[in-house]
Amino acid sequence: MPDGPGFERPVSNDMLTVPNVITFARLCAVPVAVWLVLRQDFAMAFWLFVAAGISDGLDGWLARRSGPTLVGTVLDPVADKALLVSMYVTLAAVRVLPDWLAILVVFRDVVIVGGVLVLGVMGQSVTIRPLLISKLNTFLQLALVAVVLLLSAFDRSWPWLSTTLIWAVAASTLASGGAYLWKGVRGQ
């Protein structure tokens, strides 16, 4: 996945490592987070989202210290994307985020993954490195989810903050998707 970590050390085939267990736990938190949002328990969803963010940093730090694994290099970005995409879809379903934004976020990821698959089927080697705009997009997406969960948890409304983040996420999602599409078309 494009937003995944870039490792320079050799990748091992170990499956049962502390970073992989943490990553798998984060993946298992996805249905719980969805359930909490559907129940409109935004405070618990917020804290689970924060814990997932901390666990992402922790497993990444541990993986850099002990060396990456093949399972971890695949599972980590899958866990991250599963959490973000599910939060956007679920928050749109309960009318906390606009549905068009959830569609845009999901569509960008589908286009990127689909593009990687098409290039792979065509026999082109695909090297996925996160772009600066993609890192900014991920940060903004995370910030928006955290802010709307926190505001919803305390029944607060800061429309200027939410609206600014919504438009920043939309713009960076379009820019990031366009940048990956451009790189794919140019064969980079």
Side-chain angles (χ1 to χ4, degrees):
M1 304 286 294
D3 296 328
F7 292 108
E8 296 175 10
R9 295 172 70 176
V11 177
S12 82
N13 288 327
D14 293 342
M15 289 185 65
L16 193 58
T17 64
V18 173
N20 289 351
V21 170
I22 293 170
T23 301
F24 185 71
R26 188 169 65 255
L27 184 61
C28 291
V30 171
V32 177
V34 168
W35 178 70
L36 289 169
V37 170
L38 290 174
R39 289 188 53 217
Q40 298 194 5
D41 189 346
F42 297 113
M44 284 300 296
F46 170 76
W47 289 114
L48 183 60
F49 192 75
V50 168
I54 292 169
S55 78
D56 189 27
L58 178 63
D59 69 36
W61 180 76
L62 290 171
R64 283 187 291 280
R65 294 195 79 223
S66 62
T69 66
L70 183 59
V71 169
T73 59
V74 173
L75 193 60
D76 184 69
V78 168
D80 295 343
K81 285 297 170 192
L83 182 61
L84 262 180
V85 166
S86 67
M87 285 294 91
Y88 273 83
V89 170
T90 310
L91 287 166
V94 297
R95 305 267 185 237
V96 172
L97 285 177
D99 50 5
W100 62 264
L101 184 63
I103 292 166
L104 181 63
V105 167
V106 171
F107 183 70
R108 171 204 174 259
D109 288 344
V110 168
V111 167
I112 292 171
V113 171
V116 168
L117 292 173
V118 167
L119 291 174
V121 167
M122 292 173 54
Q124 295 184 19
S125 77
V126 179
T127 304
I128 302 170
R129 297 198 197 309
L131 304 173
L132 182 59
I133 186 64
S134 179
K135 290 180 180 187
L136 175 63
N137 177 246
T138 299
F139 171 78
L140 290 170
Q141 286 182 1
L142 290 167
L144 177 57
V145 170
V147 164
V148 299
L149 285 174
L150 186 61
L151 291 175
S152 297
F154 295 103
D155 202 24
R156 300 280 187 232
S157 177
W158 291 356
W160 63 270
L161 179 59
S162 299
T163 301
T164 301
L165 282 172
I166 285 168
W167 287 108
V169 166
S172 64
T173 299
L174 287 170
S176 173
Y180 280 118
L181 190 59
W182 179 251
K183 283 182 65 88
V185 168
R186 293 185 61 214
Q188 296 179 329

